[in-house]
């Protein structure tokens, strides 16, 4: 694909992907607040205790085949059949194992309700296993308009079901049903939109080719899950389900920007970078540096914006006082999220280069540090665990950045020029918003958030234009062309 064609397709895909994830986050935010008003932190804590099993099951089920399908230059039908049947076998196996283990899970956490609650939650594996290939093909073909419709409809249906169950006193089962309904709706719609259908063939050669790449990503995902999802499980086991629920929703709300970045930039830039001729090192270097700037342009305002607007008074007013203690969790998660968000560009470069072994090596280091920090910090309390989480995210970002910069021939100064300006401008905007709202005095929390948002957005845009941000200029050019069109 030539440079202009790739740029046009990437920009179009990014716009649809932004609309997709932006719409998803809006649905999740509004519905999530409404749902939290009906439920208690302990309800979310029960689901949080199970999260290590659900995320680990998803990692096993997906098996890294999505990335392998997107990356492979010459994709044949046998490759898709292998991925499809492998995912179904793994999905059914995971569900059966966890179904049998559910009584032991309930005993381990000393929460009898987990016995049947877990069996409902784990149904998602059965539905997800039938749609991994269809989802990978949508991303590979950059059909983000269809993905937007699928995700939006699935979210609306799932949260509608959850709100109905919550209003009838279902408690944690309302959250469980939301997860299962989402997986079911998404599976049905992916099959409706996809023209691909499996055939009864399974070639060992295709399996070996896909698995040689995906196996390292699979192991990476398993290690990530074991480390990252240990937090709610450890909190639920060592403290109580209320603290686990506060952490679970703190992570959910604090990680909304990370989900947005992963669902927009990562999904669009990976196929875009993969389309670049890998022998054209200079073009690859330019494209990757551009992706770093785009990531920085989006990551800093999203995460710092959440940190500024999040306060106990706002949470108490918008949801209810029982959720006020979630604020510290959101702040720590958002701080770590800045570095995790910036790291999405590094992940995509290494995946495109086929260096899944390098990803695995760095993730092993990160996960060992995470597990070590959890073990060391348990006696000191949750706050120390959260501080350690931020520190590990910083170290992980530094290690990935050094590797990618050496691979692309990017100097430290060039990388700082790509990243630091957007962070600096956003910090200035955040400080100005905090100072202004403190001077204004006591206002309705909703008005305070709106005022902070407007001030930060205006300062970020104005300073970005003054300092000659090329990303901001291109955004304005796209909007102007769309308006004239």
């Amino acid at each position: 694909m030539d440079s202009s064609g790739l740029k046009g397709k990437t920009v179009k895909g990014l716009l649809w992907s932004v609309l997709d994830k932006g719409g998803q986050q809006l649905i999740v935010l509004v519905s999530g607040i409404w749902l939290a008003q009906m439920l208690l932190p302990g309800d979310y804590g029960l689901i949080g205790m199970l999260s290590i099993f659900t995320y680990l099951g998803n990692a096993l089920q997906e098996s890294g085949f999505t990335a392998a399908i997107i990356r492979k230059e010459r994709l044949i039908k046998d490759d898709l059949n292998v991925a499809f049947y492998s995912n179904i076998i793994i999905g059914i196996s995971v569900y059966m194992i966890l179904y049998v283990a559910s009584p032991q899970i309930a005993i381990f956490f000393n929460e009898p309700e987990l016995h049947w609650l877990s069996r409902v939650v784990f149904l998602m594996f059965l539905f997800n296993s039938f749609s991994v290939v269809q989802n990978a093909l949508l991303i590979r073909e950059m059909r983000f308009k269809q993905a937007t419709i699928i995700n939006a409809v699935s979210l609306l249906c799932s949260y509608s079901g959850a709100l109905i169950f919550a209003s009838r006193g279902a408690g944690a089962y309302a959250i469980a049903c939301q997860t299962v309904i989402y997986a079911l709706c998404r599976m049905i719609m992916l099959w409706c939109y996809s023209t691909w259908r499996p055939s009864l063939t399974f070639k060992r050669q295709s399996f070996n080719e896909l698995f040689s790449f995906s196996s390292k990503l699979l192991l990476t995902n398993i290690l990530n899950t074991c480390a990252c999802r240990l937090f709610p499980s450890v909190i639920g086991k060592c403290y109580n389900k209320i603290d686990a629920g506060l952490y679970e929703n703190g992570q959910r709300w604090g990680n909304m920007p990370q989900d947005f970045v992963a669902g927009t930039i990562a999904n669009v830039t990976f196929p875009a970078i993969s389309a670049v001729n890998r022998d054209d090192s200079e073009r690859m270097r330019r494209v990757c540096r551009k992706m770093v700037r785009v990531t920085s342009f989006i990551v800093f305002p999203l995460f710092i914006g959440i940190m500024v607007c999040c306060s106990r008074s706002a949470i108490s007013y918008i949801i209810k006082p029982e959720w006020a203690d979630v604020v510290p969790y959101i702040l720590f998660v958002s701080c770590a999220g800045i570095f995790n968000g910036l790291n999405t560009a590094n992940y995509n470069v290494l995946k495109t280069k086929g260096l899944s072994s390098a990803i695995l090596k760095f993730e092993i280091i990160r996960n060992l540090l995470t597990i070590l920090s959890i073990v060391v910090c348990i006696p000191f309390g949750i706050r120390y665990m959260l501080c350690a989480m931020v520190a590990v995210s910083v170290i992980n970002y530094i290690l990935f950045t050094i590797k990618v910069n050496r691979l692309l021939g990017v100097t430290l100064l060039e990388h700082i020029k790509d990243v630091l300006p957007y962070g600096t401008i956003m910090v200035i905007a955040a400080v100005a918003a905090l100072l202004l709202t403190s001077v204004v005095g006591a206002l309705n929390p909703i008005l305070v958030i709106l005022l902070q948002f407007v001030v930060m957005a205006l300062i970020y845009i104005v300073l970005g234009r003054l300092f000659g941000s090329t990303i901001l200029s291109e955004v304005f050019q796209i909007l102007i062309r769309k308006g004239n069109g």
Side-chain angles (χ1 to χ4, degrees):
M1 187 181 295
D2 60 34
S3 179
S4 59
L6 177 61
K7 181 177 179 180
K9 199 167 187 178
T10 303
V11 169
K12 185 177 179 181
L14 187 58
L15 288 174
W16 271 111
S17 199
V18 167
L19 180 61
D20 176 17
K21 294 306 293 185
Q24 284 189 56
Q25 298 296 357
L26 182 61
I27 295 171
V28 170
L29 180 61
V30 175
S31 302
I33 290 174
W34 194 358
L35 194 59
Q37 290 173 345
M38 302 181 188
L39 302 175
L40 295 172
D43 296 322
Y44 286 90
L46 291 172
I47 300 297
M49 293 176 195
L50 297 174
S51 62
I52 188 169
F53 302 104
T54 56
Y55 279 76
L56 183 59
N58 282 331
L60 285 169
Q61 179 183 354
E62 198 274 339
S63 305
F65 282 135
T66 296
I69 290 172
I70 295 171
R71 177 183 175 274
K72 192 171 182 183
E73 292 183 3
R74 298 184 63 184
L75 195 64
I76 60 176
K77 191 170 185 179
D78 289 332
D79 298 330
L80 300 178
N81 287 333
V82 162
F84 178 76
Y85 291 117
S86 297
N87 285 322
I88 291 177
I89 293 170
I90 294 171
I92 294 174
S93 301
V94 167
Y95 181 74
M96 292 178 65
I97 292 170
L98 292 176
Y99 184 93
V100 172
S102 60
Q104 283 67 43
I105 293 173
I107 293 171
F108 176 77
F109 287 106
N110 196 28
E111 293 288 347
E113 193 174 358
L114 289 178
H115 182 175
W116 286 103
L117 181 66
S118 62
R119 290 179 172 180
V120 174
V121 172
F122 298 151
L123 283 171
M124 62 185 290
F125 299 132
L126 298 179
F127 302 130
N128 284 336
S129 63
F130 284 88
S131 57
V132 170
V133 171
Q134 285 82 354
N135 182 59
L137 289 174
L138 277 183
I139 298 173
R140 176 185 173 90
E141 297 163 7
M142 303 182 78
R143 295 168 58 196
F144 297 105
K145 179 179 179 180
Q146 289 81 0
T148 300
I149 297 171
I150 291 169
N151 292 328
V153 172
S154 300
L155 274 174
L156 285 171
C157 292
S158 64
Y159 270 104
S160 297
L163 290 168
I164 292 171
F165 279 107
S167 65
R168 297 185 178 183
Y173 282 90
I175 311 170
C177 289
Q178 186 273 321
T179 303
V180 175
I181 294 171
Y182 176 78
L184 175 61
C185 290
R186 195 163 182 272
M187 178 198 73
I188 293 172
M189 294 194 67
L190 280 168
W191 274 83
C192 291
Y193 272 93
S194 176
T195 57
W196 176 82
R197 294 292 181 267
S199 58
L200 296 176
T201 57
F202 191 99
K203 294 290 183 65
R204 186 178 182 85
Q205 181 181 355
S206 291
F207 179 83
N208 292 338
E209 289 178 3
L210 291 176
F211 196 69
S212 63
F213 174 78
S214 65
S215 58
K216 298 182 181 67
L217 291 181
L218 169 61
L219 186 54
T220 300
N221 291 336
I222 291 173
L223 291 172
N224 282 343
T225 298
C226 291
C228 298
R229 299 311 302 179
L230 268 180
F231 278 98
S233 298
V234 169
I235 292 172
K237 176 65 177 176
C238 298
Y239 302 102
N240 55 66
K241 67 180 182 181
I242 295 176
D243 288 327
L246 291 171
Y247 174 82
E248 184 67 14
N249 255 3
Q251 186 185 55
R252 187 192 307 270
W253 293 328
N255 263 341
M256 276 189 174
Q258 172 62 19
D259 295 337
F260 179 83
V261 170
T264 55
I265 298 174
N267 278 352
V268 175
T269 58
F270 182 38
I273 296 174
S274 298
V276 177
N277 187 338
R278 290 163 202 169
D279 296 327
D280 191 345
S281 58
E282 181 56 32
R283 187 185 174 202
M284 177 68 77
R285 183 176 181 273
R286 290 198 311 270
V287 169
C288 290
R289 284 192 66 190
K290 181 71 170 287
M291 298 308 178
V292 169
R293 291 195 294 272
V294 170
T295 304
S296 303
F297 173 77
I298 295 175
V299 163
F300 284 112
L302 286 177
F303 282 105
I304 295 178
I306 278 190
M307 295 171 72
V308 169
C309 296
C310 182
S311 67
R312 294 179 64 89
S313 60
I315 295 295
S316 297
Y317 181 84
I318 296 172
I319 308 177
K320 55 184 178 182
E322 287 86 348
W323 283 102
D325 290 334
V326 79
V327 171
Y329 296 89
I330 295 177
L331 296 179
F332 278 108
V333 169
S334 298
C335 188
I338 292 174
F339 300 97
N340 294 333
L342 293 174
N343 224 9
T344 55
N346 292 329
Y347 270 94
N348 282 339
V349 172
L350 292 180
K351 284 195 294 184
T352 302
K353 291 286 187 178
L355 298 177
S356 52
S357 58
I359 297 176
L360 176 60
K361 179 178 72 175
F362 289 133
E363 288 304 312
I364 288 174
I365 295 172
R366 182 177 80 123
N367 294 320
L368 289 176
L369 289 174
T370 300
I371 294 171
L372 178 63
S373 65
I374 291 174
V375 173
V376 170
C377 295
I378 284 175
F380 301 100
I382 298 172
R383 296 288 179 92
Y384 285 88
M385 292 172 62
L386 295 174
C387 288
M389 175 184 67
V390 176
V392 171
S393 296
V394 174
I395 294 171
N396 186 55
Y397 171 66
I398 291 172
L399 292 175
F400 267 91
T401 300
I402 291 173
K403 174 66 176 180
V404 169
N405 286 352
R406 286 178 178 173
L407 188 67
L408 297 174
V410 176
T411 65
L412 176 62
L413 182 59
E414 287 175 325
H415 184 77
I416 291 174
K417 287 181 178 179
D418 290 337
V419 175
L420 190 60
Y422 300 104
T424 304
I425 292 171
M426 191 58 212
V427 169
I428 294 172
V431 171
L434 289 172
L435 289 175
L436 179 61
T437 50
S438 65
V439 170
V440 170
L443 291 173
N444 181 288
I446 300 295
L447 294 177
V448 171
I449 291 175
L450 290 175
L451 181 60
Q452 290 172 334
F453 173 79
V454 171
V455 170
M456 286 188 291
L458 287 175
I459 294 177
Y460 190 70
I461 292 172
V462 170
L463 291 182
R465 294 287 286 178
L466 287 176
F467 287 104
S469 168
T470 56
I471 302 298
L472 195 59
S473 298
E474 289 183 4
V475 170
F476 277 108
Q477 289 173 8
I478 292 170
L479 293 175
I480 290 171
R481 285 201 299 268
K482 292 290 183 182
N484 293 335

